[in-house]
Amino acid sequence: MKKWIVIGSSLIFLFFVSIYIFIPDKIIVARSITAKANQAAVLRFLNDETNWKKCWMASSNSSDTNSKSVLESEDYQFEKTQMLYESFEIAIEKEKDIHRSVLYVLPLNNDSIKIVWNATTLTGTNPFSKISRYLDARELGKRFEIILNTIQKYVSDTKNIYGINIKREKFQLDFMVSIKKSFTRYPTTEDIYTIMGQIREHIANVKATETDYPVLNVSPRDSTHFDLVVAVPVDRQVPDFGIFTERRMLKNGNFLSAEIKGGKNTVDAALKQLDIYAHDYQLLNVAIPFQQFLTDRTKEADTSKWVTRIGYPFL
């Protein structure tokens, strides 16, 4: 009997000793992912508290609280407390136990990032507390993995970051016939279609063929003066004649494109997002941005149904 008491006591002693040997006083929980995204864009996106909720709610394992700055995942509550240099401080609470963590957004190159999330847990001196904190740290690591995977998928989609689906394409256009006209007000839809009609009539007269949707740009000179350029792509070179000017695209040149549904304000906002995207990815603008009306606006009065293709030439 005495022998079993000694063995039992020894095993208990070894158990507690092993706790102090294998569970340190401080546990660092660290997880990371890579994503196809631009660092500046993701930092700007995540600095807006409402965007954290969008990332969180993209996962079926996450929910939000009444506060837009406090988000939940299982038994954990997460709150972004401040933005640091290339990182965010996030307070993590579970059953009144609060951890400080930092989420880093690091550049790998211009179009990819690494997101690293670190947290530190103090296990204390009580052996039972050490075991409990060790298990909590393991669970927290699993939470990090779930949330980071959700963030990875979300920020890798340009539409989530910029609000529009941006593509990189090559110009297939070459020869165009254009008219440039100045206005003392913003050109109307009728103004644009009138000029398109003039160009098409000229193209028919010179026996050329229209090959794609007309291209247009409106450039403000000041608050009351605007320059409108409308160009119609054709199958061959058409010499200048009167108000009609030959224009050429750099065939196989690069441009950003997006298809936008809505009226002028929606298109203008999308053009600004193309400019922001180009700045984020350090793309040099080499020609004026353009629009192509994919919907005939003379036949469709509902602006919400208008589809416009926008483009941004770059090097």
Side-chain angles (χ1 to χ4, degrees):
M1 183 68 176
K2 186 176 181 181
K3 176 183 176 182
W4 289 112
I5 293 174
V6 172
I7 292 173
S9 299
S10 299
L11 290 173
I12 293 171
F13 175 76
L14 289 172
F15 171 74
F16 283 107
V17 169
S18 65
I19 290 173
Y20 287 96
I21 292 174
F22 294 108
I23 301 179
D25 294 337
K26 181 191 295 184
I27 298 176
I28 297 176
V29 180
R31 298 292 188 275
S32 66
I33 53 95
T34 59
K36 292 295 290 181
N38 175 269
Q39 183 205 30
V42 172
L43 285 172
R44 183 176 60 248
F45 178 81
L46 292 178
N47 195 39
D48 184 339
E49 289 182 355
T50 59
N51 288 332
W52 284 84
K53 181 179 289 189
K54 294 174 185 176
C55 290
W56 236 258
M57 297 305 292
S59 168
S60 60
N61 294 317
S62 303
S63 62
D64 68 325
T65 64
N66 292 329
S67 171
K68 68 178 181 179
S69 61
V70 179
L71 299 158
E72 294 182 347
S73 181
E74 297 296 338
D75 297 329
Y76 292 91
Q77 288 190 339
F78 300 83
E79 181 177 10
K80 185 192 77 173
T81 52
Q82 63 176 318
M83 183 176 182
L84 308 171
Y85 177 69
E86 296 186 340
S87 60
F88 301 90
E89 184 177 88
I90 301 173
I92 305 169
E93 183 176 352
K94 181 184 180 184
E95 297 174 353
K96 297 184 180 180
D97 194 8
I98 299 176
H99 306 279
R100 178 185 176 275
S101 73
V102 180
L103 185 143
Y104 299 89
V105 180
L106 307 173
L108 294 177
N109 51 51
N110 205 27
D111 62 355
S112 63
I113 57 173
K114 184 174 186 178
I115 301 179
V116 181
W117 200 352
N118 293 340
T120 301
T121 297
L122 300 177
T123 60
T125 56
N126 184 299
F128 298 105
S129 173
K130 278 184 171 292
I131 294 172
S132 176
R133 294 292 177 85
Y134 171 75
L135 296 174
D136 283 345
R138 290 185 61 183
E139 180 58 31
L140 183 59
K142 293 177 182 177
R143 291 294 102 206
F144 279 9
E145 289 174 4
I146 291 171
I147 295 167
L148 284 174
N149 285 333
T150 302
I151 293 175
Q152 176 192 47
K153 293 175 183 176
Y154 199 88
V155 302
S156 295
D157 187 339
T158 57
K159 187 173 183 179
N160 293 331
I161 300 297
Y162 297 95
I164 56 177
N165 185 22
I166 300 173
K167 299 179 181 179
R168 298 191 186 198
E169 298 192 51
K170 297 283 187 181
F171 279 115
Q172 300 305 312
L173 305 180
D174 194 354
F175 302 108
M176 295 189 295
V177 178
S178 73
I179 290 178
K180 181 177 180 180
K181 188 173 181 179
S182 297
F183 294 83
T184 54
R185 52 172 171 76
Y186 195 89
T188 65
T189 299
E190 283 131 3
D191 294 328
I192 294 169
Y193 275 93
T194 297
I195 293 176
M196 285 183 189
Q198 291 175 319
I199 297 173
R200 283 169 169 155
E201 184 177 350
H202 177 65
I203 290 171
N205 289 337
V206 297
K207 303 292 190 293
T209 302
E210 183 175 343
T211 59
D212 204 339
Y213 292 97
V215 174
L216 67 104
N217 172 269
V218 180
S219 299
R221 277 188 279 149
D222 53 46
S223 60
T224 57
H225 294 83
F226 300 85
D227 291 329
L228 168 65
V229 176
V230 178
V232 177
V234 289
D235 61 339
R236 61 180 176 83
Q237 187 173 9
V238 175
D240 293 354
F241 181 80
I243 61 173
F244 304 102
T245 305
E246 176 196 356
R247 286 181 183 264
R248 296 194 66 175
M249 286 285 194
L250 182 61
K251 193 167 184 179
N252 293 318
N254 300 310
F255 74 102
L256 304 174
S257 74
E259 288 191 8
I260 310 303
K261 207 167 187 180
K264 175 185 177 299
N265 291 339
T266 305
V267 171
D268 287 346
L271 284 167
K272 288 180 181 178
Q273 289 303 309
L274 281 190
D275 193 54
I276 292 170
Y277 178 98
H279 182 267
D280 287 341
Y281 286 87
Q282 299 176 13
L283 305 177
L284 178 63
N285 180 224
V286 293
I288 57 175
F290 62 86
Q291 303 177 41
Q292 289 179 294
F293 293 169
L294 305 189
T295 303
D296 188 341
R297 299 183 178 186
T298 63
K299 297 177 180 178
E300 177 55 71
D302 186 351
T303 60
S304 67
K305 295 180 181 179
W306 289 357
V307 179
T308 304
R309 189 183 193 217
I310 59 175
Y312 185 101
F314 73 90
L315 279 179

